[in-house]
Amino acid sequence: MANIENQKFIALDISRKNYLSWVLDVKLHLSAKKLRHTIDEDNAASNEERATALIFLRHHIDDGLKYEYLTVENPLELWQNLNDRFEHLKAVVLPKALNDWSQLRFRDFKTVSEYNSTLFKIVS
């Protein structure tokens, strides 16, 4: 629980721009801390594990979201609330990525690194 006060990655923005990368970061960090099960359905997490996971989640969300979900005391409930609020992004981002992929042409770039950069943005 050392260094729990330091942000490990960029907090979830209320404008939802970084939601998809934030979800991946949270899952990885909770897994590394052996707390991933606290955001899974039907978990048997202890109160201490829930509190630690909730502190971690609240520390990595925008202040506006903190105030909105101030009364939530379970990390699973907070995770589900955020998921319900932002999950529709996959339906928005995937068609755009597919369109960008179909429009991607090597000859439109001056260098291979520019092409690779754009390619990796689409893939991610």
Side-chain angles (χ1 to χ4, degrees):
M1 211 162 94
N3 297 331
I4 198 164
E5 305 305 324
N6 298 332
Q7 273 193 339
K8 305 293 184 192
F9 48 88
I10 297 173
L12 175 60
D13 190 8
I14 198 164
S15 68
R16 69 186 176 258
K17 289 180 182 176
N18 64 337
Y19 175 72
L20 297 174
S21 63
W22 180 84
V23 167
L24 180 62
D25 288 339
V26 167
K27 286 180 179 179
L28 290 172
H29 278 80
L30 287 177
S31 293
K33 294 175 176 279
K34 295 181 175 52
L35 294 172
R36 171 76 184 267
H37 64 282
T38 60
I39 60 171
D40 293 335
E41 293 281 338
D42 301 325
N43 67 65
S46 68
N47 287 337
E48 183 179 296
E49 290 174 325
R50 284 190 191 114
T52 304
L54 187 61
I55 289 168
F56 182 81
L57 287 172
R58 290 183 49 79
H59 190 68
H60 289 88
I61 60 175
D62 185 77
D63 287 339
L65 292 170
K66 282 182 194 176
Y67 295 125
E68 189 171 334
Y69 297 108
L70 191 62
T71 59
V72 176
E73 296 181 0
N74 186 343
L76 174 61
E77 185 180 347
L78 177 59
W79 183 258
Q80 288 173 336
N81 288 342
L82 293 171
N83 189 38
D84 291 344
R85 181 177 180 148
F86 297 122
E87 185 65 22
H88 71 282
L89 287 177
K90 288 182 181 175
V92 174
V93 172
L94 183 59
K96 183 184 180 321
L98 291 172
N99 182 48
D100 290 348
W101 178 258
S102 67
Q103 305 280 327
L104 186 67
R105 296 183 309 186
F106 186 74
R107 63 182 170 188
D108 291 339
F109 299 91
K110 292 181 181 179
T111 64
V112 172
S113 63
E114 287 179 24
Y115 174 81
N116 282 340
S117 177
T118 303
L119 175 70
F120 289 128
K121 284 180 186 177
I122 293 170
V123 170
S124 67

